[in-house]
Amino acid sequence: MMALMSAAKASDFSEPWKSADRALVVDAYEYNSIDWGQLATDKRIAAFINKASDGMPPPYFCFGSDNDVRLCKALWKRHAVTRELFQTRRVVAKALGMKWGAYHLARPGNPVEQANNFLDFADPAPDDLMALDIEGIDPSQWMSLDDAEEFVRQVHRRVGRFPVLYTNGKTAQYIADNRYKYRLLSRLPLWYARYKPDIDVHFPMGNWQGYALWQFSAQANCGRFRCPYRVAGTPNNIDVNVVPTDAATLRQQWPFGGLIDVPSDYLASVPVPLSREAALAGKTTLVYADVATPPTFEEMVAVLGSRWSKFRDGFRMPVVKTVPRRPGFGIVQYVAWKRIGQRSPEQLDAAFAAADPVSTGSTEIDRGRP
């Protein structure tokens, strides 16, 4: 659990990159050329995020037709070159004093395997930012939001931290509107992609109180003659992001590895009802009341296993392996043996001699018959 930041100020939603104290972050992929010497001259650039993995990993073995084998080998070559470039950029960026991050482009397919592919590719250090790139809500083109939740869980299982959620305004709003279904995605620090000078009326306020990063400049709104912000040593349409803090504060918050704006037991909490007046006022913040944390799967298995053992044992016959084996040892002898506290063999013989195996109601009636 972490508190990402205080609620963003109004100015943070209207061209904040024009404020000289706002730190900037560049994000790139393998086909962006970078002149690191020129890039380093822009002192507002505090961090660099690079694309890591893309969907599923390439197949381990190449087989099939000649075209299939050639394509498979080309994918492996691209994978190897891309990873080598990624590692090189990380070394250079950190040497220049920049924070480092990596993102995974989410595609349809096994979310656990994609998470493993991302972590194996990026090999994130404890202070490296991780990000999940969700480009839309069409599950035929991009990872479904349900799978994205599982991706996030797998990343947390392996490294103990959560990634940042990168997505556009439409998808962010959809997640916010369905935050009780997407309880992890809606609580991740938001890397917001929207190419408007003012986003106050568009931002999903009420779920997210502010953004961790806002991608404000990209190919969508940056061309040869006009661009919100140009970074030296990069292509004209390089992706540029602004944060609502200065560089020193950004370095303290980096790499945003926790859930935001919720208590630590959010997954076992319920929202406190709002008054009618507060709801009508708008832009309210939901508060969650603590409730008992639900048991883990392992705890449920242990409890159910213990109860099943007791239930099963109730149907079992008494264990009498320690009962002496001797001729004529029947139920009467057993009862006598139990009554005397399982004593010595001599005491048993005396007890057995005193017990009449035929002194029952039915046999007494039989004795009276001719």
Side-chain angles (χ1 to χ4, degrees):
M1 172 55 57
M2 61 172 287
L4 173 63
M5 60 189 71
S6 59
K9 301 176 182 178
S11 60
D12 293 329
F13 295 105
S14 179
E15 299 184 317
W17 53 88
K18 291 185 176 180
S19 298
D21 64 336
R22 294 294 189 265
L24 301 177
V25 179
V26 171
D27 72 274
Y29 73 118
E30 59 268 24
Y31 294 116
N32 293 137
S33 59
I34 306 294
D35 185 326
W36 291 97
Q38 293 186 38
L39 175 62
T41 62
D42 190 335
K43 301 305 180 183
R44 291 182 63 186
I45 305 299
F48 194 99
I49 304 174
N50 204 86
K51 178 185 174 185
S53 48
D54 187 332
M56 304 283 278
Y60 287 104
F61 301 102
C62 296
F63 57 88
S65 65
D66 291 343
N67 288 336
D68 291 338
V69 171
R70 283 196 292 269
L71 176 61
C72 176
K73 291 182 177 180
L75 290 175
W76 263 111
K77 182 177 180 180
R78 177 185 174 185
H79 177 81
V81 172
T82 301
R83 188 169 185 181
E84 183 69 22
L85 177 62
F86 178 91
Q87 300 291 354
T88 301
R89 285 181 173 178
R90 173 159 59 182
V91 171
V92 175
K94 289 188 174 184
L96 293 173
M98 299 179 189
K99 288 294 185 178
W100 178 259
Y103 70 89
H104 173 82
L105 182 56
R107 305 280 191 179
N110 188 323
V112 172
E113 189 171 354
Q114 288 198 52
N116 291 334
N117 180 37
F118 169 60
L119 295 174
D120 294 342
F121 189 108
D123 190 21
D127 62 339
D128 289 349
L129 178 142
M130 302 177 294
L132 174 62
D133 181 351
I134 301 291
E135 295 284 340
I137 59 176
D138 183 355
S140 65
Q141 298 185 42
W142 313 107
M143 179 185 288
S144 71
L145 298 183
D146 289 329
D147 282 352
E149 289 260 311
E150 188 57 39
F151 179 101
V152 171
R153 291 190 188 93
Q154 179 64 9
V155 169
H156 188 266
R157 290 186 196 109
R158 285 193 51 179
V159 300
R161 293 189 286 124
F162 291 101
V164 170
L165 174 65
Y166 170 92
T167 196
N168 54 44
K170 182 178 179 180
T171 305
Q173 187 63 59
Y174 182 85
I175 294 173
D177 292 341
N178 296 273
R179 55 186 173 272
Y180 297 116
K181 180 179 181 181
Y182 305 115
R183 297 196 171 193
L184 284 178
L185 295 181
S186 63
R187 293 297 93 198
L188 297 178
L190 180 61
W191 180 1
Y192 191 63
R194 195 171 183 93
Y195 313 110
K196 303 289 184 180
D198 301 287
I199 60 170
D200 188 23
V201 296
H202 304 287
F203 193 81
M205 188 69 73
N207 182 74
W208 285 285
Q209 301 307 308
Y211 53 83
L213 302 100
W214 170 13
Q215 188 181 83
F216 68 92
S217 181
Q219 186 176 2
N221 66 339
C222 189
R224 179 179 178 183
F225 300 105
R226 186 178 179 181
C227 189
Y229 192 91
R230 295 197 189 276
V231 179
T234 67
N236 288 336
N237 58 358
I238 194 75
D239 295 344
V240 188
N241 310 267
V242 64
V243 298
T245 63
D246 57 22
T249 305
L250 175 65
R251 291 188 176 94
Q252 293 175 359
Q253 295 177 345
W254 200 271
F256 308 109
L259 302 179
I260 63 171
D261 297 336
V262 290
S264 59
D265 58 349
Y266 168 77
L267 297 182
S269 298
V270 294
V272 175
L274 295 172
S275 66
R276 178 178 176 83
E277 292 76 11
L280 291 176
K283 291 190 176 182
T284 57
T285 300
L286 290 177
V287 178
Y288 292 83
D290 296 342
V291 298
T293 303
T296 64
F297 178 75
E298 292 76 11
E299 291 172 340
M300 292 178 64
V301 170
V303 171
L304 291 175
S306 174
R307 291 183 178 178
W308 165 250
S309 298
K310 293 180 180 178
F311 176 79
R312 178 194 58 198
D313 292 344
F315 288 91
R316 288 181 172 176
M317 292 297 292
V319 178
V320 293
K321 293 182 179 180
T322 58
V323 174
R325 295 184 179 181
R326 58 181 66 200
F329 189 87
I331 187 62
V332 176
Q333 288 85 354
Y334 171 73
V335 172
W337 176 71
K338 291 291 288 184
R339 284 177 177 173
I340 62 175
Q342 306 174 10
R343 299 177 184 174
S344 64
E346 293 75 12
Q347 293 172 319
L348 281 174
D349 292 336
F352 294 155
D356 182 1
V358 294
S359 60
T360 64
S362 61
T363 53
E364 288 296 328
I365 294 176
D366 292 338
R367 286 181 180 182
R369 293 181 181 179

